[in-house]
Every structure is written in structure tokens, then in C-alpha cells.
Amino acid sequence: MRIFISTGEVSGDLQGSLLIAAMQRQAAAAGLALEIVALGGEKMAKVGANILGNTSGIGSMGLLESLPYVVPTLLVQRKAIAYLKQNPPDLVVLIDYMGPNLGIGTYMRQNLPDVPVVYYIAPQEWVWSMSLRNTSRIVGFTDKLLAIFPEEARYYQENGGNVSWVGHPLIDRMQDVPNRQAARAELGIAPEQIAIALLPASRQQELKYLLPVIFQAAQTIQAKLPEAHFWIPLSLESFKQPIESAIQSYGLRATIVSGQQQEVFAAADFAITKSGTVNLELALFNVPQVVVYRLNAVTVWIARKILKGSIPFASPVNLVVMREIVPELLQEQATPENITQAAMEILLNPERRRQTLTDYAQMRQCLGDIGVCDRAAQEILQMLTEV
């Protein structure tokens, strides 16, 4: 049975790989042979997907920021549609990645209407949609929508979607993670050392807009806390050189690690991070954090005129419960001074830290039970056998 999966960016590659591993396990148990062809990245390739186009580095946030990716996105979308035309699959799974997936989903509905389409981790229309146009398109070409957030499930259900809430896949990842002591031993972190994770970028634009303010704040924190050391897990290997140069420029006591993000999170006392799925991962590891985000000033001006402050939060941690659990410093607020102040408040105030961990525990209740990827895989394979 051939399944086509389409996703992009670093987080999509991760979620795709977790889903594929679960599908392969269940298919093997049921005596089904799966062929998986995908738009994705290295993580999906490692678990057996045949990668038609590597999309882990194609992605951006914002209007002007997305312009450099318009042509690569169109090319990869065109390649996917040409493949689907020549090799109609038994089922299509779309994961997030709104731009290309809207085009692929629409193509499937118009040209291959008998092939089921599953949307797993739907675009966050429930957070920032200004009209129901894209929501209607998603609902129109999707046979089954597998939601990871309760609010996402409610929104799409209310707008006509056939929805199952499966929970958040990161819950599953927490079953096999290193403990703090083991992680610190592996990374060589002394008991008295303060380990601070810096997560400035998983997209190219973030190296430009976020890395300088985060590293300036780190420089000040380092002066205030001589026992602090910074740990930077790489999201993309291509970021290693610019990050190494920045570490030297800012004179940071910092270590870059590849392929050991979970160890860094398990060992960390605190994190300064961009907004994204990584915020949830840190929360599940009980790491207090400050979330930072910046976009091009023109993008922000346009967004504010159109959206008029209708986006309640940027970080998924806060979006899950629709209240501020972790501080968010966005755009003009994302200054080195503000980041430093928020960081020091958490690092030096045990009560603030305890409150964050209590809030994390409440948020975790909204992410569902263990077995998320297996539930999603089960729904998909059930549809496959019904075809």
C-alpha cells in the first residue's frame, strides 16, 4: 500500500518521522507492506520514507520573509503533484505546511477524489484565521482531520470537519528520554554549573532577527552569572558556521551540539528560545523558558493593521491553555534588556520557577495521553484498509 506524506520545516520532519515509525510498527503487526513516499527531511528518511523533495529547510514566518521561499515551494509542490499524477497513492497524509499542502489537497480533491486525504496537525487557522476561506478549503479536501490540540479539534469540527482528537505527539517522545543526571553526565556538566539552552533558529530568517538579541542577552547573563554555560542544539547543520561565528563575536561560553537536543533539554536549568514546537518540548522537560520572536517590521505593520491584535499568544505552551505560562517577548519587546530581565527573574527566583512547573503540569493535561502516534497511525491504516 502506497502512502504519500507531505510536510515541511524542521518540526514537520520530526512529526512525520514519529508518525511513520508508528505506521510501520502497526502495518508489520497487521501483515501490511507500506511504501511511503514523502516531502520531508532526514528524520523521515531514517525511518524508511522515500524522500521526493527535502523540505526541512524550506519555510518561514511572515509575508516578506516568505518571498525567498516562494519559488522553492512552488517547485516542490509541482514535483509532488507530477508524482501523484503518475503514481496515484492509496492514501495521502498532509502534515501542517499550509501553503504547499493547500495546493496538494486541492489537486487530490479535483483529480483523484477517490484517494482519501488525512490532515494530521492542521494549519493553525483556529489561532489566526481572518476568514473561513482556507478553513473551508481544508475541510473540503480532507476526509479525516487528526487534531493535536483540543481547541483545534473544536474549531475544525464546528466548521464541518470530520475530526478526531488524538493528542500531541510530543507526549510520546517523553517515554524514552534521558534523566537530568544522565544527561548532565553525558554532556560533562558539573553539578554547580548553570546550564542554559539557547534556541535561536530553526529557520534561516531567525538567524537574522533572533540570534543577535538572544546572544546579546546571553552576554549580559554570562557577566551576571559566571557559573553559567550556554548549550545550543543545532536544528539544521547548515546553521553551525554562522552560530559558531556569533559565539566568538559575543564572547560566549557556549557549546554547540548536534543530535543531542533531548540531552540538552534534560540537563538545562533554563532556556531562551524562539517561538515554536520547541517551547512544548522544553515544557515537557520542565525547563522554564523565555520565548522571543521578531519579524520584519513591514510584515508586523501589515499584520497589525489586518489582524488588529487578534492573535492571543505566539508560543504553543500559552496557546494550549490560552493564558500566559511562559513570558513572550515579541517584536519591540524582544530586546536584550527585556530578555535578560525575564531570564534573571526566573533564574534567581525559586518561587517563580515553582509556579512555572505547576503551570506546565496543568498544560500537560491538555495534550492527551501516551500513544498519540499509535492512535493517529491506527486511524490512517483503518482508512487505508477501507479503500
Side-chain angles (χ1 to χ4, degrees), residues 351-370:
E351 182 50 44
R352 180 67 194 273
R353 185 182 188 87
R354 273 194 296 273
Q355 185 58 54
T356 300
L357 300 189
T358 301
D359 289 341
Y360 280 170
Q362 290 175 355
M363 180 215 69
R364 199 173 287 124
Q365 303 303 311
C366 302
L367 298 181
D369 298 321
I370 296 162

Side-chain angles (χ1 to χ4, degrees), residues 8-10 54-78 97-101 201-209 235-236 238-239 274 293 295-296 299:
E9 302 198 81
V10 172
N54 192 326
T55 55
S56 59
I58 303 177
S60 63
M61 285 276 286
L63 304 171
L64 298 183
E65 292 83 353
S66 66
L67 291 178
Y69 299 99
V70 169
V71 172
T73 299
L74 286 173
L75 289 174
V76 83
Q77 185 187 59
R78 196 172 293 170
Y97 209 40
M98 180 156 151
N101 282 347
S202 65
R203 301 179 177 107
Q204 189 67 40
Q205 74 190 67
E206 291 162 347
L207 290 175
K208 177 182 177 182
Y209 293 118
S235 54
L236 290 170
S238 58
F239 291 173
K274 52 155 282 186
Y293 216 79
L295 291 164
N296 183 289
T299 295

Side-chain angles (χ1 to χ4, degrees), residues 84-319:
L84 292 166
K85 191 176 181 180
Q86 292 296 318
N87 310 275
D90 296 294
L91 185 138
V92 169
V93 179
L94 308 176
I95 303 176
D96 200 0
Y97 209 40
M98 180 156 151
N101 282 347
L102 279 179
I104 291 168
T106 302
Y107 174 83
M108 294 303 299
R109 182 53 71 236
Q110 290 173 352
N111 299 279
L112 296 166
D114 296 331
V115 177
V117 174
V118 178
Y119 219 129
Y120 174 54
I121 314 179
Q124 289 189 330
E125 290 282 294
W126 50 282
V127 178
W128 41 252
S129 176
M130 287 302 296
S131 77
L132 290 177
R133 183 170 168 269
N134 285 335
T135 300
S136 299
R137 282 181 72 186
I138 291 163
V139 168
F141 62 63
T142 301
D143 296 283
K144 186 79 173 197
L145 194 145
L146 302 177
I148 63 171
F149 294 111
E151 191 63 20
E152 172 195 358
R154 184 196 61 76
Y155 172 84
Y156 280 104
Q157 207 147 22
E158 284 181 358
N159 286 290
N162 177 17
V163 182
S164 290
W165 177 54
V166 292
H168 202 290
L170 290 182
I171 289 286
D172 289 355
R173 283 193 93 203
M174 299 309 296
Q175 301 318 296
D176 188 28
V177 296
N179 63 37
R180 178 178 168 84
Q181 199 174 352
R184 286 176 80 96
E186 187 170 334
L187 294 170
I189 302 173
E192 71 281 0
Q193 193 178 77
I194 296 173
I196 299 175
L198 300 182
L199 297 126
S202 65
R203 301 179 177 107
Q204 189 67 40
Q205 74 190 67
E206 291 162 347
L207 290 175
K208 177 182 177 182
Y209 293 118
L210 299 182
L211 186 143
V213 289
I214 289 175
F215 276 28
Q216 281 175 54
Q219 200 176 39
T220 309
I221 292 166
Q222 180 172 276
K224 291 174 184 282
L225 298 173
E227 66 275 32
H229 188 91
F230 301 100
W231 295 85
I232 307 169
L234 279 184
S235 54
L236 290 170
E237 283 298 322
S238 58
F239 291 173
K240 187 173 184 179
Q241 194 278 320
I243 290 175
E244 275 179 345
S245 298
I247 288 170
Q248 288 186 340
S249 299
Y250 290 95
L252 297 183
R253 293 187 296 273
T255 303
I256 297 174
V257 293
S258 296
Q260 287 184 298
Q261 181 165 290
Q262 289 197 332
E263 283 76 10
V264 171
F265 289 0
D269 297 294
F270 178 72
I272 303 172
T273 171
K274 52 155 282 186
S275 174
T277 304
V278 72
N279 306 153
L280 280 178
E281 287 191 80
L282 287 163
L284 291 172
F285 274 96
N286 277 330
V287 181
Q289 59 190 296
V290 170
V291 176
V292 182
Y293 216 79
R294 274 185 165 185
L295 291 164
N296 183 289
V298 176
T299 295
V300 172
W301 183 84
I302 294 168
R304 283 174 178 163
K305 288 290 180 188
I306 296 170
L307 298 174
K308 300 191 187 305
S310 65
I311 297 177
F313 296 105
S315 166
V317 173
N318 295 337
L319 281 169

